[in-house]
Amino acid sequence: MKKKKQSEEKQQLKNVLADDLKDKLKQMKSELKAEDDQRKKREKERLVKQRKEQEKNKSFEELLNESRLDWKQYK
């Protein structure tokens, strides 16, 4: 009788610990996902800013070379 009671108590404790651990892991997962999303957002903003800065500093020759128009038609 005593062993059965101890076994049940161990099982309940095990379930409580497992539930607590699951909750903590789920919370950690959501926090890591949020951090990853923030990191990706910052990286995207940095790349956009870098691209704009490069576009702003292009020379006239570079702009002409990148143009899709056929400038030979206008000569």
Side-chain angles (χ1 to χ4, degrees):
M1 182 87 171
K2 206 173 194 183
K3 284 188 176 186
K4 188 175 182 182
K5 189 174 181 180
Q6 284 179 340
S7 175
E8 288 176 7
E9 287 177 4
K10 284 183 181 180
Q11 195 67 20
Q12 287 176 348
L13 182 61
K14 193 177 192 181
N15 288 339
V16 170
L17 288 175
D19 290 341
D20 187 42
L21 186 59
K22 284 181 189 177
D23 291 340
K24 285 183 181 180
L25 288 173
K26 285 181 182 179
Q27 183 181 3
M28 284 178 60
K29 180 181 176 183
S30 64
E31 289 173 359
L32 288 173
K33 185 174 180 346
E35 286 178 17
D36 190 47
D37 290 344
Q38 285 287 351
R39 183 185 55 78
K40 286 180 182 178
K41 183 179 176 183
R42 283 193 306 266
E43 181 67 18
K44 186 176 180 181
E45 288 173 355
R46 186 187 67 79
L47 288 174
V48 167
K49 186 177 179 182
Q50 183 181 15
R51 203 173 298 127
K52 283 182 180 180
E53 192 66 30
Q54 286 175 343
E55 193 71 29
K56 191 167 100 176
N57 292 330
K58 285 187 179 180
S59 70
F60 185 72
E61 182 182 3
E62 290 172 320
L63 292 172
L64 273 177
N65 289 337
E66 290 177 1
S67 175
R68 291 191 175 105
L69 296 174
D70 184 16
W71 292 103
K72 294 176 184 174
Q73 292 178 358
Y74 302 103
K75 282 187 173 183

